[in-house]
Amino acid sequence: MNRQRLDIAVVGAGMVGLAQAALLAVRYPQFQVAVLEAAETLPEVAPDQYDPRVVALTQASYELLEEVGAWALIGDRACPYTEMRVWDAEGTGSVCFNSRDVQLPNLGHIVENNVVVDVLRRRVEQLPNAELITGFRLESWWRDCGQWHLQPRSDRINDVEGSERNPDVLRARLLIGADGVRSRVRDLLHIRCTETNYHQTAMVCVARCSEPHHHTARQRFLREGPLAFLPLAGLGDENHCAVVWSADDELARELVMLDDAAFALNLEKAFESRLGTVEEVGERFAFPLRARHAESYFGPGAVLIGDAAHSIHPLAGQGANLGLQDVRVLSEEIGRALKRDLEPSDNSVLARYQRRRRGDNAATLKAMSTFKSLFGAGELHWRWLRNTGLSMVDASPLLKKRIILRAMAV
Ligand SMILES: Cc1cc2nc3c(=O)[nH]c(=O)nc-3n(C[C@H](O)[C@H](O)[C@H](O)COP(=O)(O)OP(=O)(O)OC[C@H]3O[C@@H](n4cnc5c(N)ncnc54)[C@H](O)[C@@H]3O)c2cc1C
């Protein structure tokens, strides 16, 4: 591939950037697409160990991964879940969604982050018109005659010893920023972000429980934040779950510092022993929770997708799904531009993408904030409202069906 004549450069080889490159390369074979990644290597998948960071992929995300030929590579590391149980720690309200409610085989799949990244990387590497370039941290750029000139961090350029790996300056017509929450592309475009600090931290780890998960995703709403046990598959039993436990920063700091046995005990108590004893917990990771939304999704010849454009509270597990929807819509808009003899980097193309995605993402961000406030409120009337709400949803098959179908389409 001629790196001086790329059609599209995607910055960031997270799951969203890789999916974007793969989808564009599959749908439009005439394009030369490169993914530029700051890291030297991408995370590996351990055959005997789970990655504690997981995503709950919806039907829409599954279809996208199918289209690019990545789904088949996931194999048994995707855990389909057929049921989702949600309940309130301060009351009797609960709701149970079942795939039977919508006559589908499952509600979605829990897949480890590094598995999704790994299969997408393999697909990008297989496609003749796509290339992954690692060790390229985009630092600066300039644009002339509709071409981006992309420059990595200068210590790499002056790195004489590694000069055979020197990526030099790349040139591309359209730039897609998929470089995550601290997006350099967003900064270089001078796009501002609105930010909400939840003053909460999400702790993630893998837990082995004495009782099997039976392919059910479970979430308990505690005053200090949601606690989810998400079923995992692939290592031969039904006893491992990915835990996502959000709590106020100070409490999370205390919990993370506990030794494994004490943490497991706290976890089991917070989860009301719904899966029996928490027998073992793996390494714990903490993520500060902030919602961010870029004020614009594009600038001249460049566009933002995934966490670079928006990041949300993980309580509904929708961050990656929203990013994959950006991927689908941007690809559609590029296809539409081609039919109209427009440059994919044309402002009107990028503006249409923004129009189709920004409102949707803003609505989800708002819904997550409202949810978070509602479930964090301790006053009696709020407790009554959310418990009644949960029970009402549970008693209404039609409402449940609508909620499930809406959630699966993201
Ligand atoms: C605790 C937690 C739980 C979550 N659970 C879920 C869930 O259940 N379901 C769900 O859908 N979502 C979930 N999410 C959100 C989801 O993980 C993210 O939305 C998703 O991973 C974002 O992917 P991305 O590719 O946009 O960004 P990232 O994964 O952040 O990838 C960005 C990439 O860009 C690279 N990069 C950065 N800067 C540069 C540069 N200058 N040059 C080159 N490369 C660069 C980085 O190295 C990285 O590889 C969760 C998030 C958290 C914190």
Side-chain angles (χ1 to χ4, degrees):
M1 182 175 297
N2 184 347
R3 293 178 179 185
Q4 307 306 316
R5 283 174 166 272
L6 297 168
D7 295 294
I8 298 174
V10 181
V11 182
M15 71 177 76
V16 175
L18 286 166
Q20 183 71 77
L23 190 61
L24 289 171
V26 164
R27 283 196 184 171
Y28 313 113
Q30 68 271 41
F31 283 155
Q32 301 289 302
V33 186
V35 190
L36 319 179
E37 168 57 42
E40 294 287 342
T41 52
L42 296 190
E44 304 255 311
V45 178
D48 55 352
Q49 214 182 336
Y50 288 114
D51 178 7
R53 277 201 67 177
V54 300
V55 286
L57 293 174
T58 57
Q59 176 70 18
S61 297
Y62 157 83
E63 283 165 14
L64 194 151
L65 294 176
E66 267 264 298
E67 181 176 348
V68 302
W71 188 263
L73 303 175
I74 292 183
D76 61 3
R77 291 296 273 255
C79 184
Y81 60 100
T82 48
E83 207 166 270
M84 177 183 251
R85 291 176 180 273
V86 178
W87 70 100
D88 188 1
E90 296 183 346
T92 53
S94 69
V95 59
C96 175
F97 299 103
N98 194 297
S99 56
R100 282 194 307 271
D101 299 337
V102 282
Q103 286 92 44
L104 284 171
N106 59 63
L107 296 172
H109 292 85
I110 308 294
V111 193
E112 300 145 83
N113 272 29
N114 66 3
V115 170
V116 183
V117 169
D118 187 60
V119 294
L120 285 167
R121 173 192 60 78
R122 283 156 61 194
R123 279 305 289 145
V124 165
E125 286 176 349
Q126 285 166 358
L127 291 164
N129 57 332
E131 185 181 2
L132 169 65
I133 302 171
T134 54
F136 188 111
R137 178 177 291 281
L138 176 71
E139 177 70 19
S140 57
W141 66 30
W142 70 97
R143 191 168 182 243
D144 60 37
C145 307
Q147 283 266 337
W148 285 106
H149 299 248
L150 306 169
Q151 189 160 298
R153 215 168 54 192
S154 54
D155 55 326
R156 285 303 304 268
I157 283 191
N158 300 328
D159 176 5
V160 178
E161 242 180 39
S163 57
E164 76 283 1
R165 291 178 302 145
N166 187 336
D168 212 344
V169 173
L170 306 184
R171 292 178 182 80
R173 283 153 56 208
L174 170 66
L175 186 75
I176 302 179
D179 48 347
V181 283
R182 276 182 283 278
S183 169
R184 180 76 184 142
V185 174
R186 196 179 60 218
D187 286 350
L188 288 169
L189 289 170
H190 304 292
I191 293 176
R192 286 193 314 191
C193 244
T194 51
E195 183 169 322
T196 313
N197 188 342
Y198 291 118
H199 302 290
Q200 284 204 325
T201 298
M203 295 163 282
V204 303
C205 67
V206 174
R208 197 187 69 223
C209 303
S210 62
E211 287 177 22
H213 51 60
H214 293 309
H215 292 261
T216 298
R218 297 170 172 84
Q219 181 148 263
R220 183 181 190 220
F221 279 99
L222 297 136
R223 171 96 59 91
E224 56 273 21
L227 166 61
F229 272 58
L230 306 170
L232 289 169
L235 299 190
D237 65 35
E238 279 194 21
N239 296 70
H240 285 88
C241 288
V243 172
V244 186
W245 189 358
S246 307
D248 296 341
D249 288 332
E250 207 179 308
L251 176 62
R253 250 193 309 276
E254 284 167 25
L255 288 165
V256 165
M257 300 290 281
L258 294 174
D259 62 38
D260 283 2
F263 183 79
L265 210 62
N266 275 272
L267 185 59
E268 188 185 315
K269 205 167 128 212
F271 199 57
E272 298 178 314
S273 308
R274 293 274 175 130
L275 287 173
T277 312
V278 174
E279 295 175 334
E280 195 184 325
V281 286
E283 197 181 346
R284 299 185 282 281
F285 297 87
F287 299 91
L289 293 181
R290 290 193 180 88
R292 290 195 184 84
H293 204 190
E295 287 179 358
S296 167
Y297 282 11
F298 71 101
V303 62
L304 301 175
I305 59 172
D307 276 19
H310 46 77
S311 63
I312 67 171
H313 196 294
L315 72 84
Q318 290 298 23
N321 292 309
L322 292 179
L324 294 174
Q325 287 312 297
D326 296 346
V327 165
R328 184 182 59 77
V329 170
L330 184 58
S331 303
E332 282 172 12
E333 289 306 326
I334 289 175
R336 194 170 174 275
L338 289 177
K339 283 197 196 122
R340 278 152 214 251
D341 265 343
L342 280 173
E343 263 293 309
S345 59
D346 194 278
N347 255 6
S348 65
V349 178
L350 307 183
R352 273 184 62 92
Y353 155 75
Q354 164 165 288
R355 264 201 304 282
R356 288 182 61 192
R357 289 305 299 150
R358 200 167 181 284
D360 243 24
N361 290 332
T364 310
L365 277 152
K366 180 102 189 71
M368 289 312 110
S369 290
T370 312
F371 249 157
K372 154 120 199 358
S373 310
L374 178 63
F375 280 92
E379 294 87 352
L380 191 63
H381 56 283
W382 286 119
R383 275 167 31 206
W384 176 84
L385 184 67
R386 62 180 186 244
N387 278 284
T388 313
L390 286 173
S391 304
M392 265 173 60
V393 172
D394 202 45
S396 164
L398 195 67
L399 198 53
K400 273 207 235 183
K401 194 169 168 176
R402 281 183 147 183
I403 293 173
I404 297 173
L405 292 176
R406 172 82 184 90
M408 288 174 99
V410 172

